[in-house]
Amino acid sequence: MKHHEIDQYAKQSPLCNFDPRVKIASTVIFIISIALLRELTPLIISLLFLLLIVAASRIPPIHIVKSYVLALPFAVFASLTMWYSSGSEEAAAMFLRITDSVLALILLVSTTPFFEFLKALRWFKVPAIIISLLLFTYRFIFVFIDELERMKLAREARGFNGGKSLLNVEALRTIAYTAGMVLVRSHSRANNIYSALLSRGYTGEVRTLSHLRAKPRDAVFAAAFIGMSLMSLFIQAGVIIWTL
Amino acid sequence: MHIPDGLMAPEILAIGWMIALAVIAFSVFKVNKKIDEKTVPLMAILAAGIFVAQMLNFPIFGGTTGHLVGAALAAVLVGPYAAVIILTVILVIQCFVFGDGGLTALGLNLTNMAVIGTFVAWGTYKLFPEKLEKVGVVAAAWASVFVAAFACALELAASFSISSGAYGIEAAISLPSMLGYHAVIGIGEGIITGAIFLYLTKVAPEIIKTRKPTEEVTT
Protein backbone atom coordinates (compact mmCIF):
# COMPACT_ATOMS: atom_id res chain seq x y z
CA MET A 1 0.00 0.00 0.00
CA LYS A 2 1.34 3.33 -1.07
CA HIS A 3 -0.55 5.41 1.45
CA HIS A 4 0.31 3.41 4.53
CA GLU A 5 2.37 6.37 5.76
CA ILE A 6 -0.81 8.29 6.63
CA ASP A 7 -0.74 7.48 10.31
CA GLN A 8 2.77 6.10 10.40
CA TYR A 9 4.02 8.59 12.99
CA ALA A 10 1.00 7.91 15.14
CA LYS A 11 2.74 4.81 16.45
CA GLN A 12 6.29 6.11 16.85
CA SER A 13 5.93 9.42 18.64
CA PRO A 14 6.31 9.57 22.45
CA LEU A 15 3.01 11.47 22.43
CA CYS A 16 1.12 8.42 21.21
CA ASN A 17 1.18 6.78 24.64
CA PHE A 18 -1.13 9.37 26.14
CA ASP A 19 -4.83 8.70 26.58
CA PRO A 20 -6.66 9.76 23.38
CA ARG A 21 -9.58 11.21 25.38
CA VAL A 22 -7.20 13.50 27.26
CA LYS A 23 -5.42 14.47 24.05
CA ILE A 24 -8.65 15.28 22.22
CA ALA A 25 -10.17 17.23 25.12
CA SER A 26 -6.95 19.19 25.80
CA THR A 27 -6.46 20.01 22.13
CA VAL A 28 -10.08 21.11 21.75
CA ILE A 29 -9.75 23.43 24.75
CA PHE A 30 -6.45 24.76 23.43
CA ILE A 31 -7.86 25.44 19.94
CA ILE A 32 -10.95 27.12 21.42
CA SER A 33 -8.67 29.42 23.44
CA ILE A 34 -6.71 30.21 20.26
CA ALA A 35 -9.96 31.02 18.46
CA LEU A 36 -10.68 33.63 21.16
CA LEU A 37 -7.27 35.35 20.90
CA ARG A 38 -6.94 38.66 19.08
CA GLU A 39 -3.63 39.95 20.43
CA LEU A 40 -0.21 39.07 19.11
CA THR A 41 1.64 38.38 22.39
CA PRO A 42 -0.40 35.34 23.56
CA LEU A 43 -0.50 34.03 20.00
CA ILE A 44 3.30 34.14 19.76
CA ILE A 45 3.70 32.47 23.17
CA SER A 46 1.26 29.73 22.11
CA LEU A 47 3.25 29.24 18.91
CA LEU A 48 6.49 28.83 20.91
CA PHE A 49 4.74 26.35 23.22
CA LEU A 50 3.53 24.33 20.22
CA LEU A 51 6.95 24.34 18.56
CA LEU A 52 8.42 22.99 21.78
CA ILE A 53 5.90 20.13 21.80
CA VAL A 54 6.47 19.51 18.08
CA ALA A 55 10.20 19.19 18.78
CA ALA A 56 9.50 16.76 21.63
CA SER A 57 7.05 14.72 19.55
CA ARG A 58 9.77 13.64 17.09
CA ILE A 59 7.40 13.91 14.12
CA PRO A 60 9.51 14.55 10.99
CA PRO A 61 9.24 18.28 10.09
CA ILE A 62 8.50 17.45 6.45
CA HIS A 63 5.29 15.70 7.50
CA ILE A 64 4.19 18.75 9.49
CA VAL A 65 5.00 21.11 6.62
CA LYS A 66 3.01 18.94 4.18
CA SER A 67 -0.10 19.01 6.38
CA TYR A 68 0.35 22.72 7.10
CA VAL A 69 0.38 23.53 3.37
CA LEU A 70 -3.23 22.20 3.16
CA ALA A 71 -4.46 25.12 5.27
CA LEU A 72 -2.15 27.70 3.68
CA PRO A 73 -4.41 28.97 0.84
CA PHE A 74 -7.10 30.10 3.29
CA ALA A 75 -4.56 31.47 5.78
CA VAL A 76 -2.70 33.54 3.16
CA PHE A 77 -5.83 34.77 1.39
CA ALA A 78 -7.54 35.71 4.67
CA SER A 79 -4.46 37.47 6.07
CA LEU A 80 -3.91 39.46 2.87
CA THR A 81 -7.49 40.70 2.73
CA MET A 82 -7.33 41.38 6.48
CA TRP A 83 -4.23 43.49 5.92
CA TYR A 84 -6.11 45.51 3.31
CA SER A 85 -9.31 45.91 5.32
CA SER A 86 -8.26 46.05 8.99
CA GLY A 87 -4.52 46.65 9.22
CA SER A 88 -1.28 44.75 9.60
CA GLU A 89 -1.71 43.80 13.27
CA GLU A 90 -5.06 42.07 12.67
CA ALA A 91 -3.59 40.38 9.60
CA ALA A 92 -0.65 39.01 11.60
CA ALA A 93 -3.02 37.89 14.37
CA MET A 94 -5.19 36.08 11.81
CA PHE A 95 -2.19 34.34 10.28
CA LEU A 96 -0.80 33.30 13.68
CA ARG A 97 -4.22 32.13 14.87
CA ILE A 98 -4.62 29.82 11.88
CA THR A 99 -1.01 28.63 12.12
CA ASP A 100 -1.32 27.90 15.86
CA SER A 101 -4.55 25.95 15.55
CA VAL A 102 -3.40 24.04 12.48
CA LEU A 103 -0.18 23.05 14.28
CA ALA A 104 -2.13 21.90 17.33
CA LEU A 105 -4.44 19.82 15.13
CA ILE A 106 -1.52 18.30 13.20
CA LEU A 107 0.10 17.37 16.51
CA LEU A 108 -3.10 15.64 17.60
CA VAL A 109 -3.83 13.78 14.36
CA SER A 110 -0.28 12.68 13.65
CA THR A 111 0.28 11.22 17.12
CA THR A 112 -3.07 9.44 17.53
CA PRO A 113 -3.86 6.24 15.61
CA PHE A 114 -7.33 6.41 14.06
CA PHE A 115 -8.66 3.50 16.12
CA GLU A 116 -7.77 5.31 19.34
CA PHE A 117 -9.85 8.22 18.04
CA LEU A 118 -12.81 5.95 17.52
CA LYS A 119 -12.57 4.56 21.04
CA ALA A 120 -12.41 8.08 22.45
CA LEU A 121 -15.29 9.27 20.27
CA ARG A 122 -17.39 6.32 21.48
CA TRP A 123 -16.56 7.33 25.04
CA PHE A 124 -17.73 10.87 24.18
CA LYS A 125 -21.13 9.29 23.23
CA VAL A 126 -20.96 9.64 19.44
CA PRO A 127 -23.75 7.40 17.98
CA ALA A 128 -22.69 3.80 17.26
CA ILE A 129 -23.76 3.97 13.61
CA ILE A 130 -21.33 6.83 12.97
CA ILE A 131 -18.50 4.99 14.74
CA SER A 132 -18.97 1.80 12.73
CA LEU A 133 -19.26 3.84 9.55
CA LEU A 134 -16.00 5.63 10.36
CA LEU A 135 -14.35 2.30 11.06
CA PHE A 136 -15.48 0.68 7.81
CA THR A 137 -14.85 3.76 5.69
CA TYR A 138 -11.34 4.16 7.05
CA ARG A 139 -10.57 0.53 6.33
CA PHE A 140 -11.95 0.67 2.78
CA ILE A 141 -10.22 3.92 1.83
CA PHE A 142 -6.82 2.23 1.62
CA VAL A 143 -8.18 -0.60 -0.51
CA PHE A 144 -9.69 1.88 -2.95
CA ILE A 145 -6.64 4.11 -3.05
CA ASP A 146 -4.68 1.08 -4.23
CA GLU A 147 -7.40 0.34 -6.76
CA LEU A 148 -7.33 3.93 -7.97
CA GLU A 149 -3.53 3.92 -8.28
CA ARG A 150 -3.73 0.83 -10.48
CA MET A 151 -6.41 2.40 -12.68
CA LYS A 152 -4.38 5.61 -12.91
CA LEU A 153 -1.32 3.69 -14.05
CA ALA A 154 -3.39 1.87 -16.66
CA ARG A 155 -4.88 5.17 -17.81
CA GLU A 156 -1.47 6.77 -18.19
CA ALA A 157 -0.15 3.71 -20.02
CA ARG A 158 -2.88 4.33 -22.59
CA GLY A 159 -1.73 7.92 -23.03
CA PHE A 160 -4.04 9.89 -20.68
CA ASN A 161 -2.43 13.19 -19.60
CA GLY A 162 -5.04 14.75 -17.33
CA GLY A 163 -6.44 17.23 -19.85
CA LYS A 164 -5.88 20.96 -19.95
CA SER A 165 -9.24 22.59 -19.23
CA LEU A 166 -12.89 22.02 -18.39
CA LEU A 167 -13.62 22.02 -22.13
CA ASN A 168 -11.75 18.77 -22.64
CA VAL A 169 -14.65 16.33 -22.90
CA GLU A 170 -12.48 13.23 -23.30
CA ALA A 171 -10.51 13.95 -20.13
CA LEU A 172 -13.68 14.55 -18.11
CA ARG A 173 -15.27 11.38 -19.45
CA THR A 174 -12.23 9.35 -18.45
CA ILE A 175 -12.18 10.87 -14.96
CA ALA A 176 -15.89 10.24 -14.49
CA TYR A 177 -15.63 6.64 -15.69
CA THR A 178 -12.73 6.05 -13.30
CA ALA A 179 -14.76 7.43 -10.39
CA GLY A 180 -17.78 5.38 -11.47
CA MET A 181 -15.68 2.24 -11.67
CA VAL A 182 -14.33 2.85 -8.14
CA LEU A 183 -17.96 2.91 -6.94
CA VAL A 184 -18.98 -0.20 -8.90
CA ARG A 185 -16.02 -2.21 -7.65
CA SER A 186 -16.57 -0.99 -4.11
CA HIS A 187 -20.21 -1.96 -4.25
CA SER A 188 -19.52 -5.54 -5.23
CA ARG A 189 -16.80 -5.65 -2.59
CA ALA A 190 -19.21 -4.46 0.11
CA ASN A 191 -21.31 -7.59 -0.19
CA ASN A 192 -18.30 -9.89 0.08
CA ILE A 193 -16.87 -8.05 3.06
CA TYR A 194 -20.21 -8.05 4.78
CA SER A 195 -20.67 -11.80 4.32
CA ALA A 196 -17.16 -12.34 5.69
CA LEU A 197 -17.98 -10.21 8.73
CA LEU A 198 -21.25 -12.06 9.36
CA SER A 199 -19.53 -15.43 9.21
CA ARG A 200 -17.17 -14.23 11.96
CA GLY A 201 -20.04 -13.22 14.18
CA TYR A 202 -20.30 -9.49 13.52
CA THR A 203 -23.37 -7.98 15.19
CA GLY A 204 -22.70 -4.27 14.73
CA GLU A 205 -20.84 -3.82 18.02
CA VAL A 206 -17.12 -3.09 17.81
CA ARG A 207 -15.09 -4.78 20.54
CA THR A 208 -11.39 -4.31 21.22
CA LEU A 209 -8.91 -6.05 23.48
CA SER A 210 -7.33 -2.94 24.97
CA HIS A 211 -9.29 -0.50 27.11
CA LEU A 212 -8.78 3.19 27.73
CA ARG A 213 -7.19 4.08 31.05
CA ALA A 214 -6.01 7.55 32.06
CA LYS A 215 -2.63 7.63 33.86
CA PRO A 216 -0.89 10.36 35.91
CA ARG A 217 1.12 11.49 32.89
CA ASP A 218 -2.16 12.26 31.10
CA ALA A 219 -2.90 14.77 33.86
CA VAL A 220 0.46 16.42 33.08
CA PHE A 221 -0.48 16.59 29.39
CA ALA A 222 -3.87 18.13 30.17
CA ALA A 223 -2.32 20.56 32.66
CA ALA A 224 0.21 21.78 30.08
CA PHE A 225 -2.37 22.42 27.36
CA ILE A 226 -5.12 23.81 29.58
CA GLY A 227 -2.59 25.88 31.55
CA MET A 228 -1.29 27.36 28.31
CA SER A 229 -4.84 28.15 27.16
CA LEU A 230 -5.71 29.90 30.41
CA MET A 231 -2.45 31.83 30.42
CA SER A 232 -3.08 33.09 26.87
CA LEU A 233 -6.57 34.25 27.77
CA PHE A 234 -5.31 35.93 30.97
CA ILE A 235 -2.60 37.75 29.03
CA GLN A 236 -5.18 38.99 26.58
CA ALA A 237 -7.51 40.08 29.38
CA GLY A 238 -4.65 42.02 30.95
CA VAL A 239 -4.53 39.95 34.14
CA ILE A 240 -0.92 39.02 33.39
CA ILE A 241 1.16 41.92 32.16
CA TRP A 242 3.69 40.66 29.68
CA THR A 243 6.41 42.70 28.06
CA LEU A 244 8.37 40.98 25.35
CA MET B 1 -13.79 25.02 1.03
CA HIS B 2 -12.38 23.30 4.14
CA ILE B 3 -12.34 26.11 6.71
CA PRO B 4 -9.33 25.96 9.08
CA ASP B 5 -9.43 26.90 12.78
CA GLY B 6 -8.80 30.51 13.74
CA LEU B 7 -10.45 32.04 10.69
CA MET B 8 -14.05 32.48 11.79
CA ALA B 9 -15.49 34.42 14.75
CA PRO B 10 -16.29 32.19 17.78
CA GLU B 11 -20.03 33.03 17.62
CA ILE B 12 -20.24 31.81 14.02
CA LEU B 13 -18.36 28.63 14.94
CA ALA B 14 -20.88 27.93 17.70
CA ILE B 15 -23.83 28.45 15.36
CA GLY B 16 -22.20 26.10 12.83
CA TRP B 17 -21.89 23.36 15.46
CA MET B 18 -25.50 23.77 16.57
CA ILE B 19 -26.90 23.47 13.02
CA ALA B 20 -24.62 20.57 12.12
CA LEU B 21 -25.32 18.55 15.29
CA ALA B 22 -29.08 19.07 15.06
CA VAL B 23 -29.29 17.98 11.41
CA ILE B 24 -26.89 15.05 11.83
CA ALA B 25 -28.76 13.81 14.91
CA PHE B 26 -32.02 13.98 12.95
CA SER B 27 -30.44 12.15 10.00
CA VAL B 28 -29.06 9.41 12.28
CA PHE B 29 -32.56 9.04 13.73
CA LYS B 30 -34.11 8.85 10.23
CA VAL B 31 -31.56 6.34 8.92
CA ASN B 32 -31.64 4.22 12.09
CA LYS B 33 -35.40 3.85 11.75
CA LYS B 34 -35.30 2.02 8.44
CA ILE B 35 -31.87 0.48 8.71
CA ASP B 36 -31.30 -3.15 7.85
CA GLU B 37 -28.06 -4.81 8.86
CA LYS B 38 -26.59 -4.44 5.39
CA THR B 39 -26.86 -0.67 5.26
CA VAL B 40 -23.79 0.21 7.34
CA PRO B 41 -21.18 -1.57 5.19
CA LEU B 42 -22.88 -0.27 2.05
CA MET B 43 -22.87 3.33 3.28
CA ALA B 44 -19.25 2.92 4.34
CA ILE B 45 -18.33 1.66 0.90
CA LEU B 46 -19.99 4.70 -0.66
CA ALA B 47 -18.28 7.01 1.82
CA ALA B 48 -14.89 5.46 1.04
CA GLY B 49 -15.66 5.51 -2.69
CA ILE B 50 -16.57 9.20 -2.61
CA PHE B 51 -13.56 9.94 -0.40
CA VAL B 52 -11.27 8.34 -2.97
CA ALA B 53 -13.17 9.94 -5.88
CA GLN B 54 -12.42 13.30 -4.21
CA MET B 55 -8.75 12.61 -4.85
CA LEU B 56 -9.35 12.76 -8.62
CA ASN B 57 -8.48 16.26 -9.74
CA PHE B 58 -10.18 17.65 -12.81
CA PRO B 59 -8.61 20.42 -14.90
CA ILE B 60 -10.21 23.90 -14.78
CA PHE B 61 -7.96 26.16 -16.85
CA GLY B 62 -4.41 27.44 -16.87
CA GLY B 63 -3.08 24.57 -14.80
CA THR B 64 -5.49 24.94 -11.85
CA THR B 65 -7.54 21.93 -10.82
CA GLY B 66 -10.61 21.31 -8.74
CA HIS B 67 -11.92 18.16 -7.13
CA LEU B 68 -15.24 16.54 -6.38
CA VAL B 69 -17.16 17.31 -3.15
CA GLY B 70 -19.58 14.44 -3.74
CA ALA B 71 -22.58 15.73 -1.74
CA ALA B 72 -24.82 15.64 -4.81
CA LEU B 73 -23.56 12.21 -5.85
CA ALA B 74 -24.30 10.78 -2.40
CA ALA B 75 -27.72 12.46 -2.28
CA VAL B 76 -28.93 11.13 -5.65
CA LEU B 77 -27.57 7.65 -4.90
CA VAL B 78 -28.87 7.03 -1.36
CA GLY B 79 -31.19 9.93 -0.52
CA PRO B 80 -30.55 13.02 1.63
CA TYR B 81 -30.43 11.60 5.18
CA ALA B 82 -27.99 8.79 4.42
CA ALA B 83 -25.99 11.28 2.33
CA VAL B 84 -25.68 13.67 5.30
CA ILE B 85 -24.16 10.84 7.35
CA ILE B 86 -21.85 9.76 4.51
CA LEU B 87 -20.54 13.30 4.04
CA THR B 88 -20.19 13.68 7.83
CA VAL B 89 -18.02 10.57 7.97
CA ILE B 90 -15.86 11.82 5.09
CA LEU B 91 -15.36 15.25 6.69
CA VAL B 92 -14.58 13.76 10.12
CA ILE B 93 -11.92 11.50 8.61
CA GLN B 94 -10.44 14.39 6.63
CA CYS B 95 -10.23 16.40 9.84
CA PHE B 96 -8.94 13.67 12.19
CA VAL B 97 -6.60 11.83 9.83
CA PHE B 98 -5.30 14.53 7.51
CA GLY B 99 -5.87 17.70 9.54
CA ASP B 100 -7.80 19.03 6.53
CA GLY B 101 -10.33 21.53 7.91
CA GLY B 102 -10.27 22.70 11.51
CA LEU B 103 -11.55 21.13 14.71
CA THR B 104 -13.59 24.08 15.98
CA ALA B 105 -14.48 24.80 12.34
CA LEU B 106 -15.69 21.23 11.79
CA GLY B 107 -19.22 22.33 12.71
CA LEU B 108 -19.20 24.92 9.92
CA ASN B 109 -17.60 22.55 7.42
CA LEU B 110 -20.29 19.98 8.23
CA THR B 111 -23.01 22.61 7.89
CA ASN B 112 -21.72 23.84 4.52
CA MET B 113 -20.81 20.60 2.80
CA ALA B 114 -22.73 17.81 4.56
CA VAL B 115 -25.95 19.65 5.39
CA ILE B 116 -26.36 22.53 2.92
CA GLY B 117 -24.57 20.72 0.07
CA THR B 118 -26.69 17.60 0.45
CA PHE B 119 -30.09 19.21 0.91
CA VAL B 120 -29.57 21.77 -1.86
CA ALA B 121 -28.57 18.92 -4.17
CA TRP B 122 -31.59 16.83 -3.16
CA GLY B 123 -34.00 19.78 -3.51
CA THR B 124 -32.64 20.71 -6.94
CA TYR B 125 -32.70 17.08 -8.10
CA LYS B 126 -36.34 16.72 -7.04
CA LEU B 127 -37.34 19.85 -9.00
CA PHE B 128 -36.74 18.07 -12.27
CA PRO B 129 -39.30 15.62 -13.74
CA GLU B 130 -38.20 12.03 -14.26
CA LYS B 131 -37.59 12.56 -17.97
CA LEU B 132 -35.02 15.24 -17.26
CA GLU B 133 -33.39 13.28 -14.44
CA LYS B 134 -29.87 13.54 -15.88
CA VAL B 135 -30.11 17.29 -16.29
CA GLY B 136 -31.37 17.36 -12.70
CA VAL B 137 -28.28 15.52 -11.46
CA VAL B 138 -25.93 17.98 -13.18
CA ALA B 139 -27.90 20.98 -11.91
CA ALA B 140 -28.02 19.51 -8.40
CA ALA B 141 -24.25 19.06 -8.33
CA TRP B 142 -23.60 22.60 -9.55
CA ALA B 143 -26.11 24.10 -7.12
CA SER B 144 -24.77 22.16 -4.13
CA VAL B 145 -21.22 23.46 -4.65
CA PHE B 146 -22.35 26.99 -5.45
CA VAL B 147 -24.74 27.35 -2.50
CA ALA B 148 -22.25 25.75 -0.08
CA ALA B 149 -19.64 28.28 -1.23
CA PHE B 150 -22.20 31.06 -0.86
CA ALA B 151 -22.87 29.94 2.72
CA CYS B 152 -19.12 29.86 3.38
CA ALA B 153 -18.71 33.40 1.99
CA LEU B 154 -21.62 34.65 4.12
CA GLU B 155 -20.04 33.08 7.24
CA LEU B 156 -16.75 34.82 6.44
CA ALA B 157 -18.56 38.14 5.93
CA ALA B 158 -20.62 37.70 9.13
CA SER B 159 -17.46 36.87 11.10
CA PHE B 160 -15.86 40.03 9.79
CA SER B 161 -18.74 42.33 10.64
CA ILE B 162 -19.62 41.00 14.14
CA SER B 163 -15.98 41.03 15.26
CA SER B 164 -15.43 44.53 13.79
CA GLY B 165 -12.66 43.29 11.56
CA ALA B 166 -10.70 40.78 13.66
CA TYR B 167 -12.01 37.56 12.07
CA GLY B 168 -13.28 36.44 8.68
CA ILE B 169 -13.08 38.19 5.33
CA GLU B 170 -14.92 41.33 4.27
CA ALA B 171 -18.10 40.67 2.26
CA ALA B 172 -16.87 42.82 -0.64
CA ILE B 173 -13.98 40.38 -1.11
CA SER B 174 -15.31 37.05 0.17
CA LEU B 175 -18.54 37.00 -1.84
CA PRO B 176 -17.21 37.65 -5.36
CA SER B 177 -14.07 35.53 -4.93
CA MET B 178 -15.77 32.49 -3.37
CA LEU B 179 -18.75 32.64 -5.74
CA GLY B 180 -16.69 33.25 -8.87
CA TYR B 181 -14.27 30.43 -8.13
CA HIS B 182 -16.95 27.93 -7.13
CA ALA B 183 -19.27 28.79 -10.02
CA VAL B 184 -16.51 27.33 -12.20
CA ILE B 185 -15.63 24.46 -9.82
CA GLY B 186 -19.35 23.65 -9.76
CA ILE B 187 -19.36 23.10 -13.55
CA GLY B 188 -16.67 20.44 -13.11
CA GLU B 189 -18.63 18.90 -10.23
CA GLY B 190 -21.79 18.95 -12.38
CA ILE B 191 -20.20 17.30 -15.41
CA ILE B 192 -18.39 14.64 -13.39
CA THR B 193 -21.39 13.85 -11.17
CA GLY B 194 -23.64 13.66 -14.22
CA ALA B 195 -21.21 11.35 -16.02
CA ILE B 196 -20.79 9.09 -12.97
CA PHE B 197 -24.57 8.90 -12.63
CA LEU B 198 -24.95 8.05 -16.32
CA TYR B 199 -22.22 5.44 -16.02
CA LEU B 200 -23.86 3.86 -12.97
CA THR B 201 -27.30 3.72 -14.59
CA LYS B 202 -25.72 1.76 -17.43
CA VAL B 203 -23.25 -0.42 -15.55
CA ALA B 204 -24.62 -0.93 -12.05
CA PRO B 205 -28.18 0.40 -11.61
CA GLU B 206 -28.55 -1.54 -8.35
CA ILE B 207 -26.30 1.04 -6.64
CA ILE B 208 -28.88 3.80 -7.11
CA LYS B 209 -31.07 3.33 -4.02
CA THR B 210 -33.29 6.34 -4.60
CA ARG B 211 -34.99 4.64 -7.56
CA LYS B 212 -37.92 2.28 -7.40
CA PRO B 213 -36.81 -1.32 -7.98
CA THR B 214 -39.13 -1.66 -10.98
CA GLU B 215 -36.98 0.80 -12.89
CA GLU B 216 -33.94 -1.39 -12.73
CA VAL B 217 -32.44 -2.23 -16.09
CA THR B 218 -32.04 -5.93 -16.63
CA THR B 219 -28.75 -6.90 -18.15
Side-chain angles (χ1 to χ4, degrees):
Chain A
M1 276 188 202
K2 200 188 160 212
H3 288 257
H4 68 281
E5 69 264 24
I6 282 168
D7 65 1
Q8 181 187 4
Y9 310 112
K11 285 145 200 160
Q12 297 171 351
S13 167
L15 288 184
C16 76
N17 296 322
F18 290 93
D19 190 309
R21 294 168 297 180
V22 175
K23 269 195 283 190
I24 294 177
S26 313
T27 308
V28 168
I29 292 170
F30 185 76
I31 293 182
I32 291 176
S33 83
I34 297 284
L36 296 170
L37 294 180
R38 293 179 179 206
E39 278 174 27
L40 287 178
T41 318
L43 281 167
I44 293 170
I45 299 169
S46 301
L47 182 62
L48 294 176
F49 168 77
L50 282 168
L51 289 177
L52 207 70
I53 308 243
V54 166
S57 74
R58 280 189 258 150
I59 307 166
I62 184 79
H63 176 73
I64 295 189
V65 172
K66 267 190 205 157
S67 317
Y68 178 65
V69 165
L70 277 179
L72 215 51
F74 251 127
V76 170
F77 183 65
S79 316
L80 284 180
T81 54
M82 188 59 70
W83 197 339
Y84 164 80
S85 57
S86 303
S88 58
E89 199 157 308
E90 279 84 356
M94 166 76 87
F95 192 78
L96 279 173
R97 208 161 46 220
I98 297 181
T99 304
D100 283 4
S101 10
V102 169
L103 268 183
L105 184 60
I106 295 171
L107 259 178
L108 175 70
V109 303
S110 50
T111 60
T112 313
F114 191 65
F115 293 99
E116 297 278 300
F117 264 120
L118 293 186
K119 274 191 240 168
L121 288 181
R122 188 74 196 117
W123 193 82
F124 288 126
K125 300 280 178 281
V126 173
I129 177 177
I130 293 201
I131 302 284
S132 15
L133 262 175
L134 283 168
L135 187 81
F136 279 109
T137 307
Y138 183 72
R139 179 66 193 86
F140 294 156
I141 282 170
F142 298 98
V143 178
F144 297 155
I145 287 177
D146 281 354
E147 198 99 49
L148 192 66
E149 288 291 324
R150 271 198 295 279
M151 286 196 267
K152 213 162 119 189
L153 198 66
R155 229 166 51 179
E156 272 158 24
R158 291 191 292 261
F160 181 74
N161 61 3
K164 295 244 160 20
S165 77
L166 262 179
L167 302 173
N168 190 335
V169 180
E170 283 303 318
L172 289 173
R173 181 182 300 157
T174 310
I175 293 164
Y177 283 4
T178 311
M181 201 59 217
V182 171
L183 288 177
V184 172
R185 290 193 191 183
S186 42
H187 180 256
S188 60
R189 213 165 204 142
N191 296 326
N192 296 344
I193 291 173
Y194 187 67
S195 315
L197 278 169
L198 269 192
S199 62
R200 288 178 204 143
Y202 176 74
T203 55
E205 252 321 281
V206 178
R207 295 166 201 282
T208 52
L209 279 175
S210 60
H211 292 284
L212 297 173
R213 190 177 296 154
K215 298 194 186 81
R217 63 171 172 213
D218 294 313
V220 177
F221 188 94
F225 272 80
I226 296 170
M228 187 65 231
S229 315
L230 289 176
M231 197 170 102
S232 305
L233 292 174
F234 283 150
I235 293 172
Q236 172 157 285
V239 180
I240 302 174
I241 309 295
W242 195 289
T243 41
L244 273 178
Chain B
M1 222 192 296
H2 286 69
I3 304 163
D5 287 317
L7 178 56
M8 296 283 191
E11 297 88 339
I12 303 288
L13 292 173
I15 295 172
W17 271 110
M18 282 189 274
I19 298 174
L21 289 181
V23 177
I24 293 166
F26 184 67
S27 304
V28 167
F29 168 76
K30 278 289 225 186
V31 171
N32 261 336
K33 224 167 53 173
K34 56 171 190 182
I35 203 165
D36 61 355
E37 43 188 13
K38 243 181 164 165
T39 319
V40 169
L42 186 76
M43 277 168 68
I45 285 280
L46 268 177
I50 290 173
F51 186 101
V52 172
Q54 285 192 354
M55 293 178 159
L56 283 165
N57 284 317
F58 53 79
I60 300 173
F61 51 78
T64 54
T65 56
H67 71 81
L68 218 58
V69 175
L73 186 62
V76 299
L77 290 183
V78 293
Y81 298 111
V84 167
I85 298 178
I86 286 178
L87 263 290
T88 301
V89 165
I90 293 174
L91 288 167
V92 168
I93 293 182
Q94 280 169 342
C95 172
F96 280 122
V97 178
F98 301 96
D100 193 7
L103 209 57
T104 53
L106 183 59
L108 278 181
N109 285 326
L110 287 170
T111 303
N112 293 344
M113 287 181 268
V115 174
I116 297 178
T118 303
F119 282 105
V120 166
W122 183 250
T124 315
Y125 174 66
K126 280 281 140 188
L127 279 182
F128 287 79
E130 217 153 283
K131 258 197 280 175
L132 291 172
E133 192 185 30
K134 277 139 203 160
V135 184
V137 172
V138 177
W142 185 84
S144 74
V145 170
F146 190 74
V147 177
F150 183 57
C152 182
L154 284 184
E155 289 149 14
L156 285 166
S159 296
F160 187 84
S161 56
I162 60 170
S163 66
S164 54
Y167 294 92
I169 299 175
E170 213 180 351
I173 298 166
S174 72
L175 277 169
S177 59
M178 286 294 285
L179 291 186
Y181 184 61
H182 285 92
V184 183
I185 293 263
I187 297 175
E189 176 101 11
I191 297 173
I192 305 256
T193 308
I196 295 176
F197 188 77
L198 207 63
Y199 184 78
L200 290 179
T201 50
K202 281 188 209 151
V203 179
E206 71 276 7
I207 291 185
I208 304 165
K209 298 285 168 209
T210 47
R211 289 224 185 136
K212 293 165 214 95
T214 47
E215 280 176 64
E216 272 188 18
V217 188
T218 45
T219 45

